[in-house]
Amino acid sequence: MKRNYKTMKKIVFATNNEHKLREIRDILKEKAEVLSLADIGCYVDIAETADTLEGNALIKARYVYENYGYDCFADDTGLEVEALGGAPGVHTARYATDGHDTSANMRKLLAEMKGKTNRKACFRTAIAFIRDGEEHLFSGRVDGYISEEPLGDRGFGYDPVFIPEETGKTFAQLGEEFKNTISHRARAVNKLMEYLNSL
């Protein structure tokens, strides 16, 4: 049976990351009801073993679709720093440790950037969406710079050290409401929603 996303707008987001889930729900607001992995009874830590953001997003989306039968989407996000050859990239969440230690990740990043004049960086998000077995990819990007030190106390992850272009402030200083209008994830999600609304 064809799903009418214009009226249903219920979609599984393959994550149990509360920060990401809240951010996605805030971005979509009235556009869609976003279900988490916990909402569908999935508590597996899906291993992200690909060497690209797109590959990791597809791994998670495929797992949910193949094991639970839901149309779903998954994302992977990477911070790519020009002076570090694109690192941490696909290893963004586990840059310093295997345990998603955001403070350690930021300390390592700032230590490796010490003395570097080129502080250009970008955040990229890749979204994989599976609908009726068909796979679709969407991407979002925001360019900016790495700050000299953490600034601001809002947001999560690398938000205190990433300054999006033309703002002069880190994501953590700008706050989640503003971030969600310009962020890499917002841009990727908006492309997903454009596709869903075309169905």
Side-chain angles (χ1 to χ4, degrees):
M1 184 176 73
K2 180 177 172 63
R3 295 168 174 80
N4 186 344
Y5 284 92
K6 286 184 170 64
T7 57
M8 187 176 73
K9 302 280 184 64
K10 183 178 287 190
I11 186 170
V12 174
F13 179 28
T15 189
N16 276 321
N17 181 315
E18 288 299 324
H19 295 293
K20 280 188 179 183
L21 186 61
R22 184 175 67 245
E23 189 170 284
I24 289 288
R25 283 175 170 164
D26 185 60
I27 291 168
L28 294 181
K29 291 184 178 172
E30 303 300 321
K31 297 176 184 175
E33 179 184 353
V34 180
L35 304 177
S36 70
L37 290 178
D39 291 330
I40 64 169
C42 177
Y43 298 97
V44 175
D45 185 13
I46 305 168
E48 300 175 22
T49 56
D51 56 6
T52 64
L53 300 177
E54 292 79 5
N56 280 335
L58 280 167
I59 286 172
K60 292 182 283 188
R62 286 169 179 163
Y63 182 89
V64 172
Y65 185 80
E66 291 168 5
N67 290 278
Y68 293 85
Y70 288 95
D71 289 356
C72 64
F73 73 97
D75 85 316
D76 196 24
T77 292
L79 173 63
E80 300 172 351
V81 181
E82 192 171 287
L84 301 180
V90 74
H91 304 293
T92 294
R94 298 176 176 86
Y95 192 38
T97 71
D98 289 333
H100 291 73
D101 186 332
T102 56
S103 295
N105 288 340
M106 281 192 291
R107 286 196 301 272
K108 179 176 180 179
L109 176 64
L110 293 177
E112 295 196 357
M113 289 297 291
K114 191 171 183 179
K116 296 189 186 303
T117 54
N118 177 7
R119 305 189 74 84
K120 290 182 181 179
C122 74
F123 259 120
R124 284 200 312 117
T125 289
I127 287 179
F129 174 58
I130 300 180
R131 173 180 176 265
D132 295 335
E134 292 184 2
E135 298 176 352
H136 306 269
L137 288 169
F138 307 91
S139 63
R141 172 181 174 138
V142 60
D143 291 292
Y145 307 90
I146 301 300
S147 62
E148 298 280 350
E149 61 183 359
L151 300 168
D153 58 5
R154 291 173 284 182
F156 66 99
Y158 293 83
D159 286 356
V161 297
F162 183 79
I163 303 171
E165 281 184 342
E166 301 178 357
T167 65
K169 295 181 178 180
T170 67
F171 272 148
Q173 290 174 302
L174 294 168
E176 290 187 33
E177 185 173 351
F178 182 76
K179 173 189 174 183
N180 290 343
T181 67
I182 67 166
S183 78
H184 42 292
R185 188 168 290 112
R187 291 170 179 176
V189 170
N190 286 336
K191 290 177 183 177
L192 168 63
M193 285 309 302
E194 286 176 11
Y195 169 74
L196 293 179
N197 288 331
S198 73
L199 298 176

